[in-house]
Amino acid sequence: MTKELKFESPSFAKRIKSMLGVDFYRLFHTPLFYIFLAISAIIPAMIIGSGGMEGGEQLYANTWNIVAANTPLYVINTIGEYANMNMVFIFGGIMVSIFIGHDYKSGYVKQLFTTHAKKQDYMISKSLVCAFAMACMCIMYLLGGVGGGLFAGTDMDVNVGSLVLAIISKIVMSLGWASLFTFLNIIFRRYFGISVASSFFFGTGILIIGAAAIIEALNLPNYVLNLFLYGSSVNACLTSNIGTLIVCILVSAMWTVIYNLVGTHILNKSDVY
């Protein structure tokens, strides 16, 4: 009497663990990751260390303004208000484009989906690994900004509790942003230049800032628009409280779920090669 052999597919946890292992290995062995870490530290150090000027006026009177604005921003009045840790999401978006673009250019995706059919695993793994990379960039940005402030001798006074909450809130948003950038690169997977440009465009927040300006000009409430689309990042400021952190966690989670679901749907319905 023969026994019928049954093969069970790996569980979700095992599949994700396996894919994360591969993606983290590739991340840590990719020079690009370390280049962007260095850029994330050098840029804020240079800006504040050189006394960043705009129109003959100093952009940052306080060191911590290189990390976050004084109050929540829904319309940007000066470049100095936006030129803070939010810049990390621009660097991160470009890195995600190059990281995922290499998957398609090298043929890794074709090999992956031949042996690993779960498209959702690809989306989740890429989002988590890229979120980790952006969180590391946030930390390097913080170190670079503090170093530049110490060198320039700018004011260091701040509400420590609000500062910590602002930093954590921005780091939390790394997951939401990574999910967005992964989604964008799934859409433009065959057009590397467009994927990089789209990541840069959305990373700068130009679209949302423009929409907010129009809404304000029409005397319409812009809080909800900014809150969901971009406010979770700009809402983290030097007057942050626990509510700010909760908002960022919720919005980041919403972005992650929405972009992963839609990105998975696109992968399932189209030719990924």
Side-chain angles (χ1 to χ4, degrees):
M1 188 174 180
T2 59
K3 292 183 178 180
E4 185 177 342
L5 296 177
K6 294 183 179 180
F7 297 93
E8 295 183 0
S9 60
S11 66
F12 172 75
K14 289 183 178 179
R15 295 197 315 266
I16 289 296
K17 181 180 179 180
S18 174
M19 189 167 284
L20 282 174
V22 173
D23 280 338
F24 271 114
Y25 178 87
R26 293 178 62 230
L27 178 69
F28 291 135
H29 288 78
T30 301
L32 178 70
F33 172 55
Y34 301 100
I35 291 172
F36 274 101
L37 286 180
I39 291 174
S40 297
I42 291 171
I43 287 184
M46 290 180 60
I47 291 175
I48 195 167
S50 62
M53 304 290 285
E54 180 186 32
E57 296 183 4
Q58 188 175 12
L59 286 176
Y60 305 103
N62 187 290
T63 296
W64 305 112
N65 285 141
I66 196 70
V67 175
N70 289 321
T71 58
L73 299 175
Y74 300 113
V75 176
I76 308 301
N77 296 311
T78 68
I79 189 62
E81 289 181 332
Y82 179 77
N84 51 51
M85 193 177 281
N86 292 339
M87 289 191 290
V88 166
F89 302 128
I90 302 174
F91 312 149
I94 297 173
M95 193 210 74
V96 173
S97 294
I98 298 174
F99 193 54
I100 294 180
H102 183 264
D103 285 355
Y104 285 89
K105 185 178 181 181
S106 65
Y108 170 72
V109 166
K110 184 175 182 179
Q111 178 187 5
L112 175 67
F113 289 130
T114 300
T115 59
H116 190 107
K118 299 293 184 180
K119 308 299 191 300
Q120 67 175 8
D121 297 353
Y122 180 83
M123 288 292 301
I124 293 172
S125 180
K126 281 293 183 290
S127 295
L128 291 174
V129 171
C130 292
F132 171 82
M134 278 192 268
C136 290
M137 291 182 200
C138 286
I139 294 172
M140 293 302 296
Y141 183 98
L142 175 64
L143 295 175
V146 172
L150 291 173
F151 176 81
T154 51
D155 185 20
M156 300 286 285
D157 289 340
V158 71
N159 182 314
V160 176
S162 293
L163 172 65
V164 171
L165 287 171
I167 293 171
I168 295 176
S169 296
K170 289 181 183 294
I171 291 176
V172 162
M173 279 306 303
S174 294
L175 180 58
W177 280 105
S179 299
L180 167 60
F181 292 134
T182 299
F183 166 71
L184 290 174
N185 282 276
I186 292 302
I187 295 177
F188 301 115
R189 58 191 177 278
R190 296 178 180 174
Y191 309 98
F192 177 70
I194 296 177
S195 69
V196 173
S198 66
S199 294
F200 177 82
F201 181 76
F202 279 91
T204 59
I206 293 175
L207 178 65
I208 309 307
I209 292 171
I214 293 173
I215 288 176
E216 184 183 53
L218 296 174
N219 293 319
L220 299 174
N222 61 14
Y223 182 78
V224 174
L225 169 71
N226 285 274
L227 184 65
F228 180 73
L229 294 176
Y230 207 81
S232 49
S233 296
V234 298
N235 199 41
C237 61
L238 297 183
T239 55
S240 294
N241 52 42
I242 193 65
T244 305
L245 177 59
I246 292 173
V247 166
C248 286
I249 291 173
L250 292 176
V251 173
S252 188
M254 290 173 66
W255 281 20
T256 301
V257 171
I258 291 171
Y259 291 126
N260 272 274
L261 286 176
V262 178
T264 299
H265 177 75
I266 291 173
L267 284 177
N268 285 329
K269 296 294 183 179
S270 59
D271 178 8
V272 299
Y273 310 137

